[in-house]
Amino acid sequence: MHEVAIMEETVAIACQAAQRQNAHKILSLTMRIGDLSGVVPEALEFAFAAVTQGTPAKQATLKIERVPIVCHCDPCDRPFSPADLYCECPQCGHFSQHIISGKEVELKSLEVI
Amino acid sequence: MCGNCGCSVTEKEVEIHTHTHDHNVHTHAHIYDHEHHHHDHNGHPHSHSIEIKQSIFAKNDQLAERNRGYFLAKDLFVINVVSSPGSGKTALLEKTIDQLQTQLNLAIIVGDLETDNDAQRLRKNGISVAQITTGTLCHLDAAMVLQAARKLPLDAVNLLIIENVGNLVCPAAYDLGEHKRIVLLSTTEGEDKPLKYPTMFKSADVVIINKIDIAEVVDFNRALALENIKKMCPQAEIFELSARTGAGMKAWLNYLQNQHQTTIAQAVEN
């Protein structure tokens, strides 16, 4: 379960950013998680409760925004939203290897006080 | 440098931490902290939001890039071998060492949650092996690999093989600084493996189907497996082999030798 390692890094980045702003408490963290990231949001929630203990984020809430998969079809030279994980272009049937978005694991923003 | 006022904010830094403020002169993103005085309104402090927009893997990715440069500076070709437990990574590497060590000098980094059993198996024939015991961690990261690599006599090595922890989920997200990612699956695992682990298969440079010698016994549908791989990772080269019998090994060994030459030649050109 790499969600614990991911959450540890997320909380570390968040605490550093909050400290730079002289904030003493983090009220919420917003993350963007791509549908092709291999990260399970439920496991992130679970890890979050554990790794925020003893940090300025200990009472914070975690908000997760899912990022759908968008690929680029080279033959058609256009982006598309695939119907399944094979990333097949609905127009020409080409299997795309160019993922424009959907692999994100990001800390988007914080609410601090 | 900022195109508006000439301050030293680079685009990359802005991505790390953007915080938009309205200045009298103009509006743009700064990475630097601004003086915030936390004024209370009748004793009630107010909250505010901070834009971060940072990939959680940014630190690892940066270290991985550094590893790649370090490896190339040493004329070293590096592969990261990933698979689920029991698909035959160690057997494949044993066979690869046996058949390739007269042509290339090899070294291996082995990651396991516990025990150094695999490292002991691979250490025969004088091959240098660095063991990473990850404890509870289910993947290797770029920092661990650099630490292990520094224990190896890399100046005398052409091919460094990283045997990742047996897991098709977590290692997918961690770039180790390898030049090629090799994903191994065996005929006993089912034809739909690429569909079950899309993140890993989409990142593969090579997919190896191992244990082809027992394909018939386990009712392995070869055509369907190949179709799934070609759909999920059209960029990947596919090898079908049996590390146990040696069938199909030649094409894989040729690939390693060719890629070693190509990678080093490209590095010299650049």
Side-chain angles (χ1 to χ4, degrees):
Chain A
M1 192 169 95
H2 62 323
E3 282 81 0
V4 173
I6 289 169
M7 214 59 243
E8 278 173 344
E9 182 71 13
T10 306
V11 171
I13 294 168
C15 290
Q16 283 163 14
Q19 197 181 17
R20 281 200 299 268
Q21 300 276 323
N22 295 323
H24 61 275
K25 196 172 172 186
I26 299 173
L27 301 179
S28 71
L29 294 85
T30 304
M31 292 183 78
R32 296 176 77 237
I33 304 294
D35 284 344
L36 198 55
S37 66
V39 173
V40 182
E42 290 75 15
L44 276 185
E45 300 269 6
F46 178 78
F48 182 71
V51 306
T52 50
Q53 293 305 311
T55 75
K58 65 173 182 267
Q59 287 167 320
T61 51
L62 176 64
K63 297 174 187 171
I64 293 176
E65 293 178 6
R66 301 302 303 250
V67 184
I69 305 170
V70 179
C71 305
H72 186 266
C73 176
D74 288 344
C76 301
D77 193 23
R78 65 174 197 118
F80 67 95
S81 300
D84 57 36
L85 294 171
Y86 283 137
C87 300
E88 182 178 7
C89 173
Q91 196 159 299
C92 74
H94 174 77
F95 291 100
S96 173
Q97 62 183 90
H98 290 162
I99 314 294
I100 298 171
S101 65
K103 294 175 91 169
E104 292 82 353
V105 181
E106 281 177 12
L107 177 57
K108 184 187 174 191
S109 61
L110 300 177
E111 190 72 22
V112 298
I113 196 162
Chain B
M1 186 180 280
C2 164
N4 288 347
C5 69
C7 69
S8 62
V9 179
T10 67
E11 217 175 345
K12 196 173 178 198
E13 285 170 326
V14 171
E15 272 176 24
I16 292 170
H17 169 210
T18 62
H19 190 150
T20 307
H21 280 263
D22 196 4
H23 293 261
N24 289 336
V25 186
H26 61 213
T27 302
H28 76 164
H30 277 266
I31 68 154
Y32 301 110
D33 294 331
H34 294 259
E35 288 300 319
H36 288 267
H37 54 276
H38 291 273
H39 40 210
D40 289 4
H41 297 286
N42 301 324
H44 298 293
H46 66 94
S47 67
H48 67 284
S49 67
I50 310 174
E51 289 288 308
I52 307 282
K53 286 186 186 163
Q54 183 175 335
S55 165
I56 303 310
F57 297 109
K59 198 160 92 186
N60 182 74
D61 290 347
Q62 189 187 26
L63 286 173
E65 267 323 305
R66 205 179 289 173
N67 283 358
R68 232 182 315 275
Y70 173 68
F71 295 145
L72 282 180
K74 291 188 173 297
D75 285 347
L76 194 58
F77 174 57
V78 183
I79 61 169
N80 174 13
V81 184
V82 286
S83 80
S84 35
S87 56
K89 279 191 302 302
T90 311
L92 173 72
L93 298 187
E94 281 181 305
K95 204 76 167 182
T96 303
I97 293 167
D98 282 347
Q99 300 190 358
L100 208 58
Q101 67 172 339
T102 52
Q103 287 109 60
L104 289 175
N105 290 324
L106 293 94
I108 301 194
I109 293 173
V110 182
D112 273 309
L113 296 182
E114 283 295 338
T115 83
D116 64 347
N117 292 352
D118 289 353
Q120 284 182 31
R121 277 172 65 183
L122 295 164
R123 210 166 263 141
K124 61 182 186 182
N125 303 329
I127 299 291
S128 299
V129 181
Q131 165 78 36
I132 302 173
T133 306
T134 59
T136 55
L137 213 57
C138 49
H139 60 269
L140 298 180
D141 65 30
M144 292 178 207
V145 166
L146 182 60
Q147 213 179 358
R150 286 197 166 135
K151 293 180 182 161
L152 294 167
L154 293 185
D155 290 335
V157 171
N158 315 112
L159 170 61
L160 175 64
I161 302 174
I162 304 166
E163 182 182 347
N164 216 315
V165 178
N167 179 343
L168 276 177
V169 183
C170 311
Y174 291 86
D175 183 356
L176 305 180
E178 72 266 21
H179 301 116
K180 296 289 174 190
R181 184 173 289 190
I182 319 296
V183 180
L184 183 67
L185 76 146
S186 57
T187 55
T188 56
E189 295 170 53
E191 301 81 11
D192 56 353
K193 203 101 199 193
L195 196 50
K196 285 179 176 167
Y197 300 93
T199 310
M200 180 59 89
F201 277 87
K202 286 211 176 289
S203 73
D205 296 299
V206 168
V207 175
I208 294 179
I209 302 177
N210 188 25
K211 305 187 188 178
I212 56 166
D213 54 319
I214 56 166
E216 210 177 319
V217 185
V218 294
D219 268 340
F220 180 67
N221 186 336
R222 175 178 177 268
L224 182 57
L226 289 173
E227 190 187 316
N228 283 338
I229 295 167
K230 282 173 185 160
K231 283 170 155 182
M232 190 55 81
C233 41
Q235 78 284 357
E237 288 198 49
I238 304 172
F239 297 101
E240 299 168 73
L241 54 83
S242 164
R244 192 173 73 88
T245 66
M249 282 294 293
K250 200 157 188 267
W252 159 241
L253 299 174
N254 286 342
Y255 169 85
L256 285 177
Q257 284 181 290
N258 291 338
Q259 285 300 318
H260 165 256
Q261 284 172 3
T262 317
T263 305
I264 303 306
Q266 276 171 356
V268 171
E269 271 176 33
N270 293 333

